[in-house]
Every structure is written in C-alpha cells, then in structure tokens.
Amino acid sequence: MLLLRSTLFQILFYSVTFVEMILFSPVMLLPRSWGWWIVPVWSKTLLLLMRVTVGLKIEVRGKENLPKGGYIAAMKHQSAWETVTLIPLFTSPTFILKRELRWIPIFGWYTAKYKQIPINRGKRSEALAAMMEAAKEAIAEKRQILIFPEGTRRPAGAEPKYKYGIAHLYKDLKCPVVPIAHNAGLYWPRSSWIVYPGTVVVEILPPIEPGLPADEFHKKMVTAIETASDRLIEEARNAPRPSPVLQKIDAVKEARTA
C-alpha cells in the first residue's frame, strides 16, 4: 500500500506541475509581481496532494522570526520536499539554484520570469560574482533569498557538509540570515521513490543579524540549523508511526561507533 500511494503521489506530483505550468503560462505576459500568486498556489497544491495521497503533513514553528523585507533564508537540505513546500512562507522569494534548471522546458521559463538566481557550479569564481550581483539586486528589491548552504541534499542524520558561499553573501549583503531547520528527510528521503506518512516539522529560528565576522557567522548558523534539525529528528521518534528512516540513522550511528 505504501508503494502504491507513493507511486500515485509521484505521478500526480509531476502531472499536476506540468498541467499548472501550461494553464498558468499566460502570466508570462504579465509583470512579475502580478503573476507571482501562481507559485504559492502550486506549492499549496502539492502540499494538499502529499496530505491526501501519502498522509504527509506539515507543522511550521517560529513564523514570528521571519523579518520583513529582504533577508537570506538558510535552509537545511535533506529532501525534494523543502524545495517546493516552503515557498508560501515568503512574500517574494528567489532561490539560488543550479543553472541547469533553467534549461528544463517550461519550468526554466518560470525560473527566469520570476528572477530566480542561477549559478554555474563549473566556474566557481565567475559564479560567485554573478550570484552576488543578482543577490544584491534581490535584497534591494526587498526580496528573500532562499539558499541551501550545504549545496546538495544530505540524508537525515548524516554528517553535515556546509559550503562557505553563504558567509560571503552575509558579509557583502549586510542583511539578516534566518536559519531554517526541519526533518523532511525522514519522510521523503533523498533520491527515494517512497514517501512515508507523518508530519514534517519546520522550525524557523531567530535571525542572525548582520555585523558578525564571516567565520563566526558561519559557525553560528551551522550550529543553529544542525542542533535544531537533530532535535526534530529525535522528536519524530515519539510520533504515532515513527519513520523507518530512523532505523537507518541508528544503524549508521552504530556502524560508526563499532
């Protein structure tokens, strides 16, 4: 049954995304601010699909920690889940994403229309300069920059591997950074077809105000995100139906200490 429900969700996930992109395509002719509403609608549609098909819900804590205006949201990256479901939390977000996503037919058009920030991972120095310029423009427009500081998805409970690029953004943009933790990797694991029922808990942590040395900021951000994410993973053990991923996490820990 879990496999069937997950398969149904995966089919609907891509089908609904494609249909909505086609139906909403006339917004390409409108100013960006007029057509933005379709993106949170798409996100909320997928959240509803997850709830109905696989029984995956969401709980968000700490919304009061989101500042007004422009800031950086530094999010834990465990799953595909957070790339699509957290969008409604922000008024005018822009993701920092790999350039290759721009090449996806139709989807790439939307990323360009709504001024998402592409980055060429193959040319590091040029990519950093281009990203910085686009980020400065976004903050000047009072938008929110959404970034996954680890760069790629890491399994829930895995040793973190944070990049340093966000420290450069923090130093140069002189804006708050909001750490965001969650435990989505327990329910929609990285590269997994199976999506487990349960409740993903998202915790929006107090913003780190500008002005700290880059190294101090980076350490503070990593500590905040990892401490909260680990706590949310442990909290999930008390759920009515704990995720089977918890068993894998425990097995890895035992292997490390053996």
Side-chain angles (χ1 to χ4, degrees):
M1 183 61 69
L2 181 61
L3 177 60
L4 289 175
R5 294 179 71 178
S6 296
T7 299
L8 175 62
F9 166 70
Q10 296 286 2
I11 293 172
L12 289 175
F13 178 93
Y14 292 104
S15 299
V16 168
T17 297
F18 178 75
V19 169
E20 288 193 347
M21 285 193 301
I22 297 298
L23 289 177
F24 293 142
S25 60
V27 302
M28 295 293 177
L29 303 175
L30 300 176
R32 176 170 56 86
S33 59
W34 292 11
W36 170 253
W37 60 270
I38 69 167
V39 182
V41 165
W42 167 69
S43 178
K44 291 176 181 178
T45 301
L46 296 181
L47 277 168
L48 178 61
L49 281 176
M50 292 179 202
R51 187 184 185 99
V52 173
T53 58
V54 296
L56 185 57
K57 305 173 185 177
I58 179 175
E59 176 186 345
V60 180
R61 303 171 183 171
K63 287 184 180 180
E64 67 278 4
N65 289 322
L66 291 174
K68 294 182 179 180
Y71 58 87
I72 300 170
M75 302 185 289
K76 182 67 178 172
H77 203 12
Q78 295 179 348
S79 167
W81 183 91
E82 60 270 12
T83 64
V84 297
T85 57
L86 298 183
I87 293 172
L89 293 175
F90 309 99
T91 56
S92 184
T94 177
F95 276 98
I96 293 180
L97 43 77
K98 58 184 179 181
R99 182 187 58 171
E100 289 77 8
L101 293 176
R102 280 279 178 94
W103 303 341
I104 299 176
I106 306 178
F107 180 83
W109 304 347
Y110 279 90
T111 66
K113 173 67 178 181
Y114 294 113
K115 297 179 70 174
Q116 306 303 291
I117 302 174
I119 183 169
N120 183 358
R121 293 179 177 179
K123 298 181 179 180
R124 190 169 181 178
S125 58
E126 294 180 16
L128 184 59
M131 178 184 70
M132 194 66 67
E133 183 177 348
K136 287 180 179 178
E137 181 180 344
I139 292 298
E141 294 175 351
K142 298 183 178 181
R143 302 184 71 194
Q144 301 82 48
I145 299 173
L146 279 51
I147 187 171
F148 301 110
E150 290 172 282
T152 189
R153 287 172 289 176
R154 301 281 297 156
E159 181 181 357
K161 292 184 178 180
Y162 284 78
K163 311 297 183 183
Y164 201 73
I166 190 171
H168 295 295
L169 282 173
Y170 169 80
K171 181 181 178 181
D172 289 356
L173 297 182
K174 297 179 174 58
C175 67
V177 173
V178 181
I180 298 179
H182 60 81
N183 57 6
L186 295 178
Y187 304 101
W188 191 354
R190 182 184 67 163
S191 304
S192 173
W193 184 261
I194 299 296
V195 181
Y196 299 101
T199 300
V200 175
V201 180
V202 178
E203 190 163 325
I204 303 168
L205 303 165
I208 302 173
E209 297 298 334
L212 295 177
D215 289 344
E216 183 179 343
F217 154 76
H218 194 263
K219 183 178 180 180
K220 185 173 183 178
M221 178 202 68
V222 171
T223 299
I225 295 175
E226 288 304 306
T227 300
S229 294
D230 288 345
R231 175 169 43 77
L232 294 177
I233 288 175
E234 292 306 309
E235 182 181 315
R237 295 182 186 277
N238 297 320
R241 287 187 295 175
S243 167
V245 177
L246 289 165
Q247 299 176 9
K248 297 179 181 178
I249 293 174
D250 292 341
V252 170
K253 288 182 178 179
E254 290 179 7
R256 286 176 182 170
T257 57

